[in-house]
């Protein structure tokens, strides 16, 4: 395959090769659900739910269409912005505003089932290039208009809410038109994408050339590469490919104060790495317009294996040893006893409800390479009491790995709350953190009059520690949003007290911001505020996400 080498700067807009390719357009999810296709509950699911969650359920029905808050953007402001991006790319049309109401957390989806007006952006603006993004930011700063960068809209922490009240109007800056493969360096294995390129679009464009990014979060079908970077996403194949921040080589940023091109070498000692200011910045400092990432040839072979451990402690100990010995499967997951039992029951495998299930996948340039990693992991796991379960559970997990978020919508229809939260800590603190969060969720939801089920798994591992991903299932009360927010607050406080991070990969957004100071300290919060003050002096960028609104910079707008 002939090498395609870009110019010296991967973000050189004058390069005649740009774009190399444009992907197939991708649909957005529904306004009131995770995706666009309703999830079907397994045949036994309703009976299982009834058995595990006794008591009166409170279904929350869908609404046929939302009533939106009226647009506050005047005609002259809309015309000024449309003059930058084109008349078809700036609109106050309710059908478009409806698709940009915010993210997809359970509180988001619950609110969209209510009769009250839905908080919508005053307009949706869709720039196609970095220069258009920069010009829109300049126009919005001049006019006192807030800007919420919008990729796939999959935030579950309030990260893309169109918050009003800080500025006289707010727009959703939809980056979907930037989707493109802009440059490909096949010698250095680097690819530059427009930030609005979704995960499936990136794999489509790379796959046609024999490459893969290998980043597959649960939001993969909808989320964008810019969103991955802005939230420090960690895909399900993080053990093999790394977190998304590990994959980022360079970023191009448009901020109200100016433009930045960051990242020119694989490593540098030229001061602090300024890319780190924008990895996890959640649109609070500016807009990521282009992302250059490390890619790999599509693996020629994939192997699968699953195991049962006698208990979670044995499984976690095996995961720790394998990770510290640098054994690198592509995917590595361990479900606790409750998650193993519930998943088995939901799948109709009632005879397989003991112990803790671990699944893994292994990729390689040859079958022998993939199998060698599998066998090395198998040896460690057997030493910790694991029993092989063959390939089927791992293959089954892979087939359904993007489907579970949509189950929340279907469960809500029958009066069942299903939501998730995540954290991470060191191996030393992992057992106590799991116990503390499980207890906090159980006690809070029991106090609301329900009997919850709390499931947990490890899905991301590091030599020093691992993530914990909790799923909560409970009967909805007659005030479901308060029910969940109290439980989430209890869990968040337990996370801080037990040496966990408030978020491993969901990001801070608005929901986690109240707990951030306890993790990074008041001085850390002031550092973030100072960075925002330099890059976004009028505070127009995503007010309330990551950095609290109402600071001196925002008040000057």
């Amino acid at each position: 395959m002939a090498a395609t080498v870009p110019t010296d700067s991967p973000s050189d807009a004058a390069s005649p090769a740009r774009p190399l390719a444009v992907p197939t357009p991708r649909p957005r999810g529904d306004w009131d659900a995770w995706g666009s296709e309703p999830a079907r509950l397994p045949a036994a699911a309703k009976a299982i739910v009834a058995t595990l969650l006794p008591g009166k359920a409170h279904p929350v029905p869908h609404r046929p269409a939302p009533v939106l808050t009226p647009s506050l953007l005047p005609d002259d402001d809309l015309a000024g912005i449309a003059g930058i991006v084109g008349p078809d790319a700036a609109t106050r049309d309710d059908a478009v505003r409806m698709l940009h109401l915010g993210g997809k957390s359970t509180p988001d989806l619950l609110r969209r089932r209510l009769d009250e007006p839905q908080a919508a952006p005053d307009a949706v603006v869709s720039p196609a290039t970095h220069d258009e993004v920069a010009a829109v930011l300049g126009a919005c700063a001049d006019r006192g208009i807030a800007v919420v960068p919008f990729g796939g809209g999959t935030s579950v922490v309030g990260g893309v809410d169109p918050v009003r009240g800080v500025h006289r109007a707010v727009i959703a800056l939809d980056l979907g038109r930037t989707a493109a493969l802009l440059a490909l360096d096949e010698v250095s294995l680097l690819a530059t994408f427009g930030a609005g390129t979704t995960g499936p679009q990136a794999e489509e464009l790379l796959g046609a050339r024999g490459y893969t990014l290998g980043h597959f979060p649960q939001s993969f079908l909808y989320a964008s590469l810019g969103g991955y970077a802005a939230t420090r996403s960690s895909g399900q194949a993080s053990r093999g490919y790394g977190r998304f921040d590990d994959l980022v080589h360079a970023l191009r940023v448009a901020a109200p104060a100016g433009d930045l091109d960051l990242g020119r070498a694989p490593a540098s000692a030229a001061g602090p790495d300024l890319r780190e200011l924008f990895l996890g910045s959640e649109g609070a400092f500016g807009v990521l317009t282009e992302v250059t990432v490390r890619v790999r040839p599509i693996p020629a072979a994939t192997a699968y294996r699953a195991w049962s451990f006698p208990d979670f402690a044995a499984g976690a100990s095996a995961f720790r040893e394998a990770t510290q010995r640098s054994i690198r499967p592509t995917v590595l997951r361990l479900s606790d006893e409750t998650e193993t039992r519930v998943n088995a029951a939901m799948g109709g495998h009632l005879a397989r409800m003991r112990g803790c299930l671990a699944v893994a996948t292994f990729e390689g340039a040859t079958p022998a390479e993939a199998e060698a990693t599998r066998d090395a992991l198998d040896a460690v796991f057997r030493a910790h009491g694991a029993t092989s379960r063959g390939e089927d559970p791992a293959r089954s997990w892979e087939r359904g790995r993007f489907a579970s978020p949509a189950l929340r919508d279907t469960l809500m229809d029958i009066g069942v709350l299903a939501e998730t939260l995540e954290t991470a800590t060191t191996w030393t603190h992992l057992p106590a953190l799991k116990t503390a969060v499980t207890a906090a969720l159980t006690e809070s939801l029991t106090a609301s009059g329900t009997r919850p089920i709390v499931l947990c798994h490890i899905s991301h591992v590091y030599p020093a520690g691992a993530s914990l991903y909790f799923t909560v299932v409970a009967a909805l009360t007659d005030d479901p949003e308060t029910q969940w927010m109290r439980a989430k607050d209890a869990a968040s406080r337990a996370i801080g007290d037990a040496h966990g991070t408030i978020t491993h990969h969901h990001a801070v957004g608005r929901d986690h911001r109240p707990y951030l100071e306890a993790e990074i300290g008041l001085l850390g919060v002031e550092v973030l505020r100072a960075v925002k003050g330099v890059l976004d002096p009028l505070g127009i960028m995503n007010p309330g996400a990551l950095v609290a609104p109402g600071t001196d910079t925002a008040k000057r707008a």
Side-chain angles (χ1 to χ4, degrees), residues 402-418:
F402 304 130
S404 58
L407 285 172
R408 292 182 310 165
D409 309 315
T410 305
L411 288 168
M412 212 176 290
D413 294 341
I414 61 172
V416 175
L417 165 74

Side-chain angles (χ1 to χ4, degrees), residues 235-323:
Q236 295 165 341
S238 64
R239 182 58 187 147
Y241 288 87
R243 293 164 55 94
F244 195 76
D245 43 13
D246 298 326
L247 302 177
V248 172
H249 173 79
L251 295 170
R252 194 177 193 196
V253 183
D259 296 348
L260 295 124
D261 283 281
L262 304 172
R264 63 169 56 190
S268 171
D273 188 346
L274 295 183
R275 292 174 301 181
E276 294 293 333
L277 288 177
F278 295 95
L279 293 170
S281 63
E282 303 185 50
F285 302 155
V287 181
L288 307 182
T289 61
E290 298 178 12
V291 183
T292 301
V293 290
R294 300 177 181 91
V295 299
R296 301 184 191 185
I298 295 173
T302 303
Y304 299 84
R305 181 62 61 88
W307 297 262
S308 285
F309 284 95
D311 53 45
F312 191 76
S317 180
F319 273 42
R320 176 182 60 80
E321 180 180 338
T323 305

Side-chain angles (χ1 to χ4, degrees), residues 48-136:
I48 294 169
V49 166
T51 300
L52 296 176
L53 304 173
K56 182 180 179 181
H58 293 78
V60 186
H62 287 271
R63 301 298 176 190
V67 175
L68 305 184
T69 52
S71 176
L72 301 178
L73 190 70
D75 290 345
D76 62 335
D77 288 333
L78 182 66
I81 295 171
I84 298 169
V85 298
D88 295 332
T91 181
R92 292 175 299 198
D93 183 79
D94 279 359
V96 180
R97 294 170 66 217
M98 182 175 68
L99 297 176
H100 298 79
L101 293 175
K104 296 295 177 72
S105 68
T106 284
D108 291 329
L109 299 177
L110 285 169
R111 285 192 291 267
R112 288 171 207 164
R113 295 183 180 216
L114 301 178
D115 289 327
E116 60 196 43
Q118 300 295 311
D122 297 301
V124 177
V125 179
S126 304
T129 66
H130 171 91
D131 290 343
E132 288 186 0
V133 171
V136 169

Side-chain angles (χ1 to χ4, degrees), residues 202-224:
E203 292 299 331
E204 170 196 336
L205 295 171
L206 290 172
R209 291 160 173 79
Y211 300 103
T212 182
L213 178 58
H215 191 74
F216 301 105
Q218 204 162 52
S219 60
F220 171 75
L221 296 178
Y222 303 101
S224 67

Side-chain angles (χ1 to χ4, degrees), residues 29-53:
D30 288 344
W31 67 276
D32 64 341
W34 172 261
S36 57
E37 295 293 331
R40 295 178 57 188
L41 292 178
K46 290 186 179 182
I48 294 169
V49 166
T51 300
L52 296 176
L53 304 173

